[in-house]
Amino acid sequence: MKLLYEGKAKQLFECENKDEIYVHYKNSATAFNGEKKEEFDFKGSFNNNITSLIFEYLEREGVETHFIKKINETDQLCKHVKIIPLEVIVRNIVAGSMAKKYGLEEGTKLIKPVFELSYKNDELNDPLINDDHAVALGIVTEEELNIIKKQALIINNLLQKLYLKSNLILVDFKIEFGKTKSGKVILADEISPDTCRLWDVNTNEKLDKDRFRRDLGSVMEAYEEVLRRLKNAKS
Ligand code: TMP
Ligand code: ASP
């Protein structure tokens, strides 16, 4: 199969049907724009399984996504979309870059969810931008941005519900959207412990990529635990 694109955590391969794409989840973990890098056995499998389970749930709840089906432990079949170069972030609790930027304590509850946009550009280190930047720079139209914002907040509510059933608090997360050939904006990329901050509801223990970013150890044990809890919550 022809490799179309390789990112830090996934490879995208061409399919015979050009409206579809074959997504392979790699075992690499990176942080800080690729400065920190490590291979973890089974990471690809955990993230593929977690993303598949979450995208199936979102589809059941009426959110259109690029996900078609899980093919095997590390691979998925997805709709071929053009990724919009925005990291769409929703925060429920202060953590990470928000805590640092505004001198806030991690764990501070936000009065309302915060919607943030970063311009996806590795050379610029994904700079934070506002809604006007996104439209004025031609990254999205006003209408597309409205769809993205509305969807992001719906997805936040649905994910909070799903994770809470797994005794996990959704602190914040990053999603990406893509455009289909017909111009429809739909949820794409992945939703996994790489792209969400997840804290245990009782102990606040971190069960996400912060374990890798902050050298907390037991990184894959945390991913495995998230998958186990999501599977249990479903049944
Ligand atoms: P931040 O606090 O570092 O800005 O991250 C906010 C959320 O976005 C957090 O859940 C981690 C996720 N994220 C990514 O998925 N990819 C990234 O490149 C970054 C910087 C954050
Ligand atoms: N900066 C991303 C993160 O920390 C990953 C990366 O860019 O390598 O999640």
Side-chain angles (χ1 to χ4, degrees):
M1 272 187 297
K2 190 176 149 203
L3 181 68
L4 290 178
Y5 176 80
E6 176 146 13
K8 298 188 195 98
K10 295 186 288 298
Q11 290 174 319
L12 309 183
F13 294 93
E14 192 178 64
C15 287
E16 216 164 283
N17 177 348
K18 295 286 182 290
D19 292 337
E20 295 176 351
I21 199 161
Y22 194 97
V23 182
H24 172 71
Y25 281 72
K26 304 197 291 185
N27 282 341
S28 330
T30 71
F32 316 120
N33 204 8
E35 257 175 58
K36 186 177 163 88
K37 198 170 185 311
E38 200 172 324
E39 295 291 306
F40 289 97
D41 286 347
F42 302 109
K43 176 174 182 281
S45 161
F46 292 140
N47 278 357
N48 177 40
N49 278 290
I50 292 168
T51 297
S52 296
L53 191 150
I54 290 177
F55 276 35
E56 277 164 8
Y57 160 75
L58 291 174
E59 288 274 355
R60 279 199 306 277
E61 295 291 331
V63 175
E64 193 178 346
T65 79
H66 75 153
F67 181 80
I68 299 173
K69 64 174 180 189
K70 189 178 113 179
I71 292 172
N72 58 39
E73 280 307 295
T74 53
D75 303 336
Q76 295 174 3
L77 188 68
C78 293
K79 292 175 200 155
H80 194 171
V81 296
K82 196 161 185 267
I83 292 288
I84 296 169
L86 288 175
E87 302 217 321
V88 177
I89 293 164
V90 181
R91 301 176 187 274
N92 298 305
I93 291 173
V94 174
S97 68
M98 185 175 186
K100 206 168 160 196
K101 196 172 286 130
Y102 304 112
L104 298 167
E105 198 176 331
E106 270 206 333
T108 307
K109 255 191 135 164
L110 290 159
I111 291 163
K112 59 173 272 199
V114 171
F115 174 85
E116 262 179 28
L117 292 173
S118 288
Y119 175 43
K120 241 173 97 80
N121 182 318
D122 281 343
E123 271 165 46
L124 300 175
N125 218 347
D126 301 340
L128 191 68
I129 59 171
N130 69 23
D131 293 17
D132 276 348
H133 288 128
V135 175
L137 295 174
I139 302 169
V140 279
T141 65
E142 198 93 48
E143 196 189 353
E144 287 164 354
L145 184 60
N146 285 337
I147 294 170
I148 288 174
K149 210 170 189 170
K150 205 169 144 206
Q151 286 296 301
L153 296 176
I154 290 172
I155 292 163
N156 183 41
N157 284 334
L158 289 170
L159 289 181
Q160 277 185 310
K161 248 202 304 192
L162 178 73
Y163 282 130
L164 208 52
K165 275 196 211 157
S166 307
N167 284 330
L168 292 166
I169 298 170
L170 177 61
V171 174
D172 57 30
F173 64 97
K174 183 270 298 180
I175 46 180
E176 295 181 22
F177 289 84
K179 254 162 111 168
T180 62
K181 224 166 48 184
S182 63
K184 195 158 190 212
V185 174
I186 60 173
L187 180 67
D189 194 50
E190 68 176 280
I191 298 182
S192 72
D194 270 12
T195 62
C196 300
R197 283 199 174 91
L198 302 168
W199 294 355
D200 180 87
V201 80
N202 296 311
T203 64
N204 276 353
E205 187 192 6
K206 297 182 199 321
L207 294 166
D208 57 62
K209 200 162 92 173
D210 271 349
R211 301 206 69 84
F212 170 64
R213 295 190 189 96
R214 303 179 188 191
D215 296 317
L216 299 175
S218 305
V219 182
M220 281 311 103
E221 286 81 353
Y223 283 47
E224 188 172 19
E225 175 68 10
V226 170
L227 177 59
R228 193 188 65 77
R229 289 194 196 187
L230 284 169
K231 276 184 177 165
N232 278 350
K234 227 180 77 175
S235 51

